[in-house]
PDB file of all heavy atoms in Angstrom:
ATOM      1  N   GLN A 800      79.149 124.790  11.307  1.00  0.00           N
ATOM      2  CA  GLN A 800      77.985 125.463  10.756  1.00  0.00           C
ATOM      3  C   GLN A 800      76.931 125.792  11.825  1.00  0.00           C
ATOM      4  O   GLN A 800      76.015 126.564  11.586  1.00  0.00           O
ATOM      5  CB  GLN A 800      77.337 124.591   9.673  1.00  0.00           C
ATOM      6  CG  GLN A 800      78.250 124.288   8.499  1.00  0.00           C
ATOM      7  CD  GLN A 800      78.706 125.546   7.781  1.00  0.00           C
ATOM      8  OE1 GLN A 800      77.950 126.501   7.615  1.00  0.00           O
ATOM      9  NE2 GLN A 800      79.986 125.561   7.345  1.00  0.00           N
ATOM     10  N   GLN A 801      77.101 125.177  13.020  1.00  0.00           N
ATOM     11  CA  GLN A 801      76.083 125.334  14.053  1.00  0.00           C
ATOM     12  C   GLN A 801      76.453 126.328  15.147  1.00  0.00           C
ATOM     13  O   GLN A 801      75.569 126.803  15.868  1.00  0.00           O
ATOM     14  CB  GLN A 801      75.785 123.965  14.689  1.00  0.00           C
ATOM     15  CG  GLN A 801      75.145 122.958  13.732  1.00  0.00           C
ATOM     16  CD  GLN A 801      74.980 121.579  14.374  1.00  0.00           C
ATOM     17  OE1 GLN A 801      75.699 121.248  15.316  1.00  0.00           O
ATOM     18  NE2 GLN A 801      74.051 120.799  13.849  1.00  0.00           N
ATOM     19  N   VAL A 802      77.735 126.627  15.285  1.00  0.00           N
ATOM     20  CA  VAL A 802      78.183 127.454  16.430  1.00  0.00           C
ATOM     21  C   VAL A 802      78.859 128.743  15.931  1.00  0.00           C
ATOM     22  O   VAL A 802      79.237 128.861  14.768  1.00  0.00           O
ATOM     23  CB  VAL A 802      79.161 126.672  17.336  1.00  0.00           C
ATOM     24  CG1 VAL A 802      78.489 125.423  17.869  1.00  0.00           C
ATOM     25  CG2 VAL A 802      80.446 126.339  16.588  1.00  0.00           C
ATOM     26  N   THR A 803      78.990 129.683  16.872  1.00  0.00           N
ATOM     27  CA  THR A 803      79.667 130.961  16.592  1.00  0.00           C
ATOM     28  C   THR A 803      80.744 131.195  17.650  1.00  0.00           C
ATOM     29  O   THR A 803      80.480 131.048  18.852  1.00  0.00           O
ATOM     30  CB  THR A 803      78.671 132.132  16.624  1.00  0.00           C
ATOM     31  OG1 THR A 803      77.647 131.893  15.667  1.00  0.00           O
ATOM     32  CG2 THR A 803      79.358 133.445  16.322  1.00  0.00           C
ATOM     33  N   VAL A 804      81.946 131.526  17.203  1.00  0.00           N
ATOM     34  CA  VAL A 804      83.056 131.845  18.103  1.00  0.00           C
ATOM     35  C   VAL A 804      83.611 133.210  17.723  1.00  0.00           C
ATOM     36  O   VAL A 804      83.944 133.447  16.548  1.00  0.00           O
ATOM     37  CB  VAL A 804      84.169 130.778  18.016  1.00  0.00           C
ATOM     38  CG1 VAL A 804      85.365 131.185  18.904  1.00  0.00           C
ATOM     39  CG2 VAL A 804      83.638 129.406  18.469  1.00  0.00           C
ATOM     40  N   LYS A 805      83.671 134.085  18.704  1.00  0.00           N
ATOM     41  CA  LYS A 805      84.156 135.454  18.453  1.00  0.00           C
ATOM     42  C   LYS A 805      85.582 135.429  17.900  1.00  0.00           C
ATOM     43  O   LYS A 805      86.444 134.737  18.415  1.00  0.00           O
ATOM     44  CB  LYS A 805      84.113 136.251  19.755  1.00  0.00           C
ATOM     45  CG  LYS A 805      84.409 137.732  19.552  1.00  0.00           C
ATOM     46  CD  LYS A 805      84.259 138.495  20.860  1.00  0.00           C
ATOM     47  CE  LYS A 805      84.533 139.982  20.655  1.00  0.00           C
ATOM     48  NZ  LYS A 805      84.393 140.740  21.929  1.00  0.00           N
ATOM     49  N   GLY A 806      85.777 136.189  16.819  1.00  0.00           N
ATOM     50  CA  GLY A 806      87.090 136.263  16.197  1.00  0.00           C
ATOM     51  C   GLY A 806      87.252 135.341  15.011  1.00  0.00           C
ATOM     52  O   GLY A 806      88.271 135.406  14.317  1.00  0.00           O
ATOM     53  N   PHE A 807      86.224 134.486  14.777  1.00  0.00           N
ATOM     54  CA  PHE A 807      86.305 133.562  13.639  1.00  0.00           C
ATOM     55  C   PHE A 807      85.017 133.677  12.813  1.00  0.00           C
ATOM     56  O   PHE A 807      83.921 133.815  13.353  1.00  0.00           O
ATOM     57  CB  PHE A 807      86.454 132.112  14.115  1.00  0.00           C
ATOM     58  CG  PHE A 807      87.737 131.855  14.854  1.00  0.00           C
ATOM     59  CD1 PHE A 807      87.757 131.909  16.243  1.00  0.00           C
ATOM     60  CD2 PHE A 807      88.919 131.574  14.173  1.00  0.00           C
ATOM     61  CE1 PHE A 807      88.928 131.671  16.935  1.00  0.00           C
ATOM     62  CE2 PHE A 807      90.090 131.335  14.873  1.00  0.00           C
ATOM     63  CZ  PHE A 807      90.104 131.382  16.259  1.00  0.00           C
ATOM     64  N   ARG A 808      85.190 133.623  11.484  1.00  0.00           N
ATOM     65  CA  ARG A 808      84.008 133.595  10.621  1.00  0.00           C
ATOM     66  C   ARG A 808      83.297 132.269  10.754  1.00  0.00           C
ATOM     67  O   ARG A 808      83.914 131.246  10.996  1.00  0.00           O
ATOM     68  CB  ARG A 808      84.422 133.841   9.170  1.00  0.00           C
ATOM     69  CG  ARG A 808      84.824 135.274   8.846  1.00  0.00           C
ATOM     70  CD  ARG A 808      85.129 135.449   7.379  1.00  0.00           C
ATOM     71  NE  ARG A 808      86.276 134.618   6.978  1.00  0.00           N
ATOM     72  CZ  ARG A 808      86.568 134.283   5.750  1.00  0.00           C
ATOM     73  NH1 ARG A 808      85.772 134.663   4.754  1.00  0.00           N
ATOM     74  NH2 ARG A 808      87.629 133.548   5.473  1.00  0.00           N
ATOM     75  N   LYS A 809      81.962 132.313  10.561  1.00  0.00           N
ATOM     76  CA  LYS A 809      81.161 131.093  10.662  1.00  0.00           C
ATOM     77  C   LYS A 809      81.638 130.086   9.624  1.00  0.00           C
ATOM     78  O   LYS A 809      81.829 130.406   8.470  1.00  0.00           O
ATOM     79  CB  LYS A 809      79.674 131.395  10.424  1.00  0.00           C
ATOM     80  CG  LYS A 809      78.743 130.295  10.915  1.00  0.00           C
ATOM     81  CD  LYS A 809      77.292 130.751  10.789  1.00  0.00           C
ATOM     82  CE  LYS A 809      76.335 129.731  11.381  1.00  0.00           C
ATOM     83  NZ  LYS A 809      76.472 129.573  12.832  1.00  0.00           N
ATOM     84  N   GLY A 810      81.905 128.869  10.079  1.00  0.00           N
ATOM     85  CA  GLY A 810      82.385 127.829   9.168  1.00  0.00           C
ATOM     86  C   GLY A 810      83.884 127.773   9.049  1.00  0.00           C
ATOM     87  O   GLY A 810      84.419 126.893   8.367  1.00  0.00           O
ATOM     88  N   LYS A 811      84.590 128.717   9.672  1.00  0.00           N
ATOM     89  CA  LYS A 811      86.057 128.775   9.560  1.00  0.00           C
ATOM     90  C   LYS A 811      86.755 128.602  10.916  1.00  0.00           C
ATOM     91  O   LYS A 811      87.910 128.966  11.078  1.00  0.00           O
ATOM     92  CB  LYS A 811      86.483 130.127   8.971  1.00  0.00           C
ATOM     93  CG  LYS A 811      85.934 130.399   7.575  1.00  0.00           C
ATOM     94  CD  LYS A 811      86.468 129.410   6.546  1.00  0.00           C
ATOM     95  CE  LYS A 811      85.988 129.720   5.150  1.00  0.00           C
ATOM     96  NZ  LYS A 811      86.518 128.746   4.160  1.00  0.00           N
ATOM     97  N   ILE A 812      86.057 127.997  11.874  1.00  0.00           N
ATOM     98  CA  ILE A 812      86.635 127.795  13.208  1.00  0.00           C
ATOM     99  C   ILE A 812      87.599 126.599  13.163  1.00  0.00           C
ATOM    100  O   ILE A 812      87.206 125.512  12.738  1.00  0.00           O
ATOM    101  CB  ILE A 812      85.534 127.534  14.239  1.00  0.00           C
ATOM    102  CG1 ILE A 812      84.477 128.623  14.163  1.00  0.00           C
ATOM    103  CG2 ILE A 812      86.114 127.444  15.643  1.00  0.00           C
ATOM    104  CD1 ILE A 812      83.232 128.311  14.975  1.00  0.00           C
ATOM    105  N   PRO A 813      88.838 126.775  13.600  1.00  0.00           N
ATOM    106  CA  PRO A 813      89.803 125.657  13.569  1.00  0.00           C
ATOM    107  C   PRO A 813      89.351 124.515  14.494  1.00  0.00           C
ATOM    108  O   PRO A 813      88.661 124.734  15.489  1.00  0.00           O
ATOM    109  CB  PRO A 813      91.101 126.297  14.070  1.00  0.00           C
ATOM    110  CG  PRO A 813      90.918 127.758  13.834  1.00  0.00           C
ATOM    111  CD  PRO A 813      89.468 128.026  14.014  1.00  0.00           C
ATOM    112  N   ALA A 814      89.793 123.313  14.148  1.00  0.00           N
ATOM    113  CA  ALA A 814      89.405 122.131  14.933  1.00  0.00           C
ATOM    114  C   ALA A 814      89.854 122.250  16.383  1.00  0.00           C
ATOM    115  O   ALA A 814      89.121 121.890  17.310  1.00  0.00           O
ATOM    116  CB  ALA A 814      89.986 120.882  14.282  1.00  0.00           C
ATOM    117  N   ARG A 815      91.084 122.787  16.608  1.00  0.00           N
ATOM    118  CA  ARG A 815      91.601 122.876  17.971  1.00  0.00           C
ATOM    119  C   ARG A 815      90.743 123.808  18.819  1.00  0.00           C
ATOM    120  O   ARG A 815      90.560 123.573  20.018  1.00  0.00           O
ATOM    121  CB  ARG A 815      93.063 123.354  17.965  1.00  0.00           C
ATOM    122  CG  ARG A 815      93.250 124.721  17.311  1.00  0.00           C
ATOM    123  CD  ARG A 815      94.696 125.194  17.370  1.00  0.00           C
ATOM    124  NE  ARG A 815      94.875 126.450  16.656  1.00  0.00           N
ATOM    125  CZ  ARG A 815      94.496 127.637  17.119  1.00  0.00           C
ATOM    126  NH1 ARG A 815      93.951 127.716  18.321  1.00  0.00           N
ATOM    127  NH2 ARG A 815      94.672 128.732  16.387  1.00  0.00           N
ATOM    128  N   VAL A 816      90.172 124.856  18.189  1.00  0.00           N
ATOM    129  CA  VAL A 816      89.305 125.784  18.927  1.00  0.00           C
ATOM    130  C   VAL A 816      87.985 125.114  19.277  1.00  0.00           C
ATOM    131  O   VAL A 816      87.457 125.292  20.394  1.00  0.00           O
ATOM    132  CB  VAL A 816      89.060 127.060  18.094  1.00  0.00           C
ATOM    133  CG1 VAL A 816      88.063 127.990  18.811  1.00  0.00           C
ATOM    134  CG2 VAL A 816      90.384 127.793  17.841  1.00  0.00           C
ATOM    135  N   ILE A 817      87.467 124.351  18.349  1.00  0.00           N
ATOM    136  CA  ILE A 817      86.221 123.602  18.633  1.00  0.00           C
ATOM    137  C   ILE A 817      86.462 122.636  19.782  1.00  0.00           C
ATOM    138  O   ILE A 817      85.634 122.521  20.703  1.00  0.00           O
ATOM    139  CB  ILE A 817      85.746 122.847  17.380  1.00  0.00           C
ATOM    140  CG1 ILE A 817      85.246 123.856  16.329  1.00  0.00           C
ATOM    141  CG2 ILE A 817      84.649 121.842  17.722  1.00  0.00           C
ATOM    142  CD1 ILE A 817      84.811 123.219  15.022  1.00  0.00           C
ATOM    143  N   ASP A 818      87.629 121.939  19.786  1.00  0.00           N
ATOM    144  CA  ASP A 818      87.944 121.010  20.867  1.00  0.00           C
ATOM    145  C   ASP A 818      88.007 121.741  22.205  1.00  0.00           C
ATOM    146  O   ASP A 818      87.514 121.248  23.231  1.00  0.00           O
ATOM    147  CB  ASP A 818      89.281 120.305  20.606  1.00  0.00           C
ATOM    148  CG  ASP A 818      89.208 119.302  19.470  1.00  0.00           C
ATOM    149  OD1 ASP A 818      88.061 118.932  19.094  1.00  0.00           O
ATOM    150  OD2 ASP A 818      90.260 118.876  18.970  1.00  0.00           O
ATOM    151  N   GLN A 819      88.613 122.938  22.191  1.00  0.00           N
ATOM    152  CA  GLN A 819      88.768 123.697  23.431  1.00  0.00           C
ATOM    153  C   GLN A 819      87.432 124.227  23.947  1.00  0.00           C
ATOM    154  O   GLN A 819      87.143 124.168  25.129  1.00  0.00           O
ATOM    155  CB  GLN A 819      89.737 124.872  23.200  1.00  0.00           C
ATOM    156  CG  GLN A 819      91.175 124.460  22.964  1.00  0.00           C
ATOM    157  CD  GLN A 819      92.042 125.611  22.493  1.00  0.00           C
ATOM    158  OE1 GLN A 819      91.551 126.729  22.242  1.00  0.00           O
ATOM    159  NE2 GLN A 819      93.342 125.348  22.336  1.00  0.00           N
ATOM    160  N   ARG A 820      86.643 124.776  23.027  1.00  0.00           N
ATOM    161  CA  ARG A 820      85.391 125.435  23.426  1.00  0.00           C
ATOM    162  C   ARG A 820      84.270 124.429  23.721  1.00  0.00           C
ATOM    163  O   ARG A 820      83.481 124.646  24.640  1.00  0.00           O
ATOM    164  CB  ARG A 820      84.940 126.387  22.314  1.00  0.00           C
ATOM    165  CG  ARG A 820      85.803 127.633  22.177  1.00  0.00           C
ATOM    166  CD  ARG A 820      85.704 128.518  23.422  1.00  0.00           C
ATOM    167  NE  ARG A 820      86.400 129.762  23.242  1.00  0.00           N
ATOM    168  CZ  ARG A 820      85.837 130.885  22.782  1.00  0.00           C
ATOM    169  NH1 ARG A 820      84.555 130.871  22.432  1.00  0.00           N
ATOM    170  NH2 ARG A 820      86.550 131.980  22.654  1.00  0.00           N
ATOM    171  N   PHE A 821      84.168 123.388  22.921  1.00  0.00           N
ATOM    172  CA  PHE A 821      82.990 122.498  23.002  1.00  0.00           C
ATOM    173  C   PHE A 821      83.332 121.066  23.411  1.00  0.00           C
ATOM    174  O   PHE A 821      82.432 120.277  23.674  1.00  0.00           O
ATOM    175  CB  PHE A 821      82.252 122.481  21.657  1.00  0.00           C
ATOM    176  CG  PHE A 821      81.892 123.856  21.179  1.00  0.00           C
ATOM    177  CD1 PHE A 821      82.641 124.485  20.180  1.00  0.00           C
ATOM    178  CD2 PHE A 821      80.839 124.549  21.758  1.00  0.00           C
ATOM    179  CE1 PHE A 821      82.327 125.761  19.755  1.00  0.00           C
ATOM    180  CE2 PHE A 821      80.521 125.823  21.329  1.00  0.00           C
ATOM    181  CZ  PHE A 821      81.252 126.446  20.316  1.00  0.00           C
ATOM    182  N   GLY A 822      84.626 120.770  23.460  1.00  0.00           N
ATOM    183  CA  GLY A 822      85.058 119.457  23.937  1.00  0.00           C
ATOM    184  C   GLY A 822      85.248 118.461  22.811  1.00  0.00           C
ATOM    185  O   GLY A 822      84.440 118.371  21.890  1.00  0.00           O
ATOM    186  N   ARG A 823      86.328 117.722  22.909  1.00  0.00           N
ATOM    187  CA  ARG A 823      86.618 116.702  21.902  1.00  0.00           C
ATOM    188  C   ARG A 823      85.556 115.599  21.944  1.00  0.00           C
ATOM    189  O   ARG A 823      85.238 114.989  20.935  1.00  0.00           O
ATOM    190  CB  ARG A 823      88.006 116.117  22.212  1.00  0.00           C
ATOM    191  CG  ARG A 823      88.415 114.921  21.351  1.00  0.00           C
ATOM    192  CD  ARG A 823      88.735 115.286  19.939  1.00  0.00           C
ATOM    193  NE  ARG A 823      89.408 114.173  19.273  1.00  0.00           N
ATOM    194  CZ  ARG A 823      89.758 114.162  18.002  1.00  0.00           C
ATOM    195  NH1 ARG A 823      89.498 115.223  17.234  1.00  0.00           N
ATOM    196  NH2 ARG A 823      90.377 113.117  17.480  1.00  0.00           N
ATOM    197  N   GLY A 824      84.980 115.401  23.113  1.00  0.00           N
ATOM    198  CA  GLY A 824      83.959 114.351  23.248  1.00  0.00           C
ATOM    199  C   GLY A 824      82.748 114.581  22.364  1.00  0.00           C
ATOM    200  O   GLY A 824      82.196 113.632  21.779  1.00  0.00           O
ATOM    201  N   ALA A 825      82.338 115.840  22.216  1.00  0.00           N
ATOM    202  CA  ALA A 825      81.186 116.158  21.368  1.00  0.00           C
ATOM    203  C   ALA A 825      81.482 115.836  19.911  1.00  0.00           C
ATOM    204  O   ALA A 825      80.626 115.361  19.159  1.00  0.00           O
ATOM    205  CB  ALA A 825      80.803 117.621  21.525  1.00  0.00           C
ATOM    206  N   VAL A 826      82.726 116.088  19.504  1.00  0.00           N
ATOM    207  CA  VAL A 826      83.141 115.806  18.124  1.00  0.00           C
ATOM    208  C   VAL A 826      83.161 114.304  17.882  1.00  0.00           C
ATOM    209  O   VAL A 826      82.664 113.807  16.856  1.00  0.00           O
ATOM    210  CB  VAL A 826      84.524 116.411  17.835  1.00  0.00           C
ATOM    211  CG1 VAL A 826      84.955 116.090  16.402  1.00  0.00           C
ATOM    212  CG2 VAL A 826      84.519 117.917  18.061  1.00  0.00           C
ATOM    213  N   LEU A 827      83.731 113.573  18.853  1.00  0.00           N
ATOM    214  CA  LEU A 827      83.801 112.120  18.700  1.00  0.00           C
ATOM    215  C   LEU A 827      82.393 111.510  18.637  1.00  0.00           C
ATOM    216  O   LEU A 827      82.134 110.587  17.854  1.00  0.00           O
ATOM    217  CB  LEU A 827      84.582 111.500  19.877  1.00  0.00           C
ATOM    218  CG  LEU A 827      86.106 111.743  19.870  1.00  0.00           C
ATOM    219  CD1 LEU A 827      86.723 111.183  21.154  1.00  0.00           C
ATOM    220  CD2 LEU A 827      86.747 111.093  18.654  1.00  0.00           C
ATOM    221  N   GLU A 828      81.494 112.004  19.481  1.00  0.00           N
ATOM    222  CA  GLU A 828      80.125 111.473  19.487  1.00  0.00           C
ATOM    223  C   GLU A 828      79.458 111.675  18.131  1.00  0.00           C
ATOM    224  O   GLU A 828      78.815 110.771  17.585  1.00  0.00           O
ATOM    225  CB  GLU A 828      79.311 112.151  20.576  1.00  0.00           C
ATOM    226  CG  GLU A 828      77.876 111.639  20.664  1.00  0.00           C
ATOM    227  CD  GLU A 828      77.086 112.319  21.777  1.00  0.00           C
ATOM    228  OE1 GLU A 828      77.664 113.135  22.527  1.00  0.00           O
ATOM    229  OE2 GLU A 828      75.878 112.038  21.889  1.00  0.00           O
ATOM    230  N   GLU A 829      79.624 112.874  17.573  1.00  0.00           N
ATOM    231  CA  GLU A 829      79.037 113.175  16.268  1.00  0.00           C
ATOM    232  C   GLU A 829      79.656 112.284  15.190  1.00  0.00           C
ATOM    233  O   GLU A 829      78.958 111.754  14.307  1.00  0.00           O
ATOM    234  CB  GLU A 829      79.282 114.648  15.933  1.00  0.00           C
ATOM    235  CG  GLU A 829      78.677 115.104  14.617  1.00  0.00           C
ATOM    236  CD  GLU A 829      77.155 115.080  14.621  1.00  0.00           C
ATOM    237  OE1 GLU A 829      76.567 115.440  15.647  1.00  0.00           O
ATOM    238  OE2 GLU A 829      76.572 114.666  13.600  1.00  0.00           O
ATOM    239  N   ALA A 830      80.960 112.079  15.243  1.00  0.00           N
ATOM    240  CA  ALA A 830      81.664 111.272  14.241  1.00  0.00           C
ATOM    241  C   ALA A 830      81.239 109.809  14.311  1.00  0.00           C
ATOM    242  O   ALA A 830      81.012 109.149  13.294  1.00  0.00           O
ATOM    243  CB  ALA A 830      83.176 111.395  14.418  1.00  0.00           C
ATOM    244  N   VAL A 831      81.148 109.314  15.538  1.00  0.00           N
ATOM    245  CA  VAL A 831      80.749 107.906  15.706  1.00  0.00           C
ATOM    246  C   VAL A 831      79.320 107.675  15.219  1.00  0.00           C
ATOM    247  O   VAL A 831      79.030 106.678  14.551  1.00  0.00           O
ATOM    248  CB  VAL A 831      80.899 107.479  17.193  1.00  0.00           C
ATOM    249  CG1 VAL A 831      80.237 106.129  17.429  1.00  0.00           C
ATOM    250  CG2 VAL A 831      82.388 107.418  17.572  1.00  0.00           C
ATOM    251  N   ASN A 832      78.411 108.589  15.560  1.00  0.00           N
ATOM    252  CA  ASN A 832      77.020 108.470  15.081  1.00  0.00           C
ATOM    253  C   ASN A 832      76.951 108.449  13.567  1.00  0.00           C
ATOM    254  O   ASN A 832      76.102 107.774  12.973  1.00  0.00           O
ATOM    255  CB  ASN A 832      76.178 109.619  15.634  1.00  0.00           C
ATOM    256  CG  ASN A 832      75.904 109.477  17.114  1.00  0.00           C
ATOM    257  OD1 ASN A 832      75.995 108.381  17.673  1.00  0.00           O
ATOM    258  ND2 ASN A 832      75.584 110.589  17.766  1.00  0.00           N
TER     259      ASN A 832
END
Side-chain angles (χ1 to χ4, degrees):
Q800 299 300 321
Q801 295 175 336
V802 300
T803 302
V804 176
K805 188 176 181 180
F807 296 95
R808 287 183 297 162
K809 197 174 186 65
K811 299 296 183 180
I812 308 170
R815 59 178 176 76
V816 176
I817 290 177
D818 288 345
Q819 292 169 355
R820 289 294 186 92
F821 306 102
R823 173 72 167 177
V826 179
L827 288 175
E828 181 179 356
E829 182 66 40
V831 169
N832 288 339

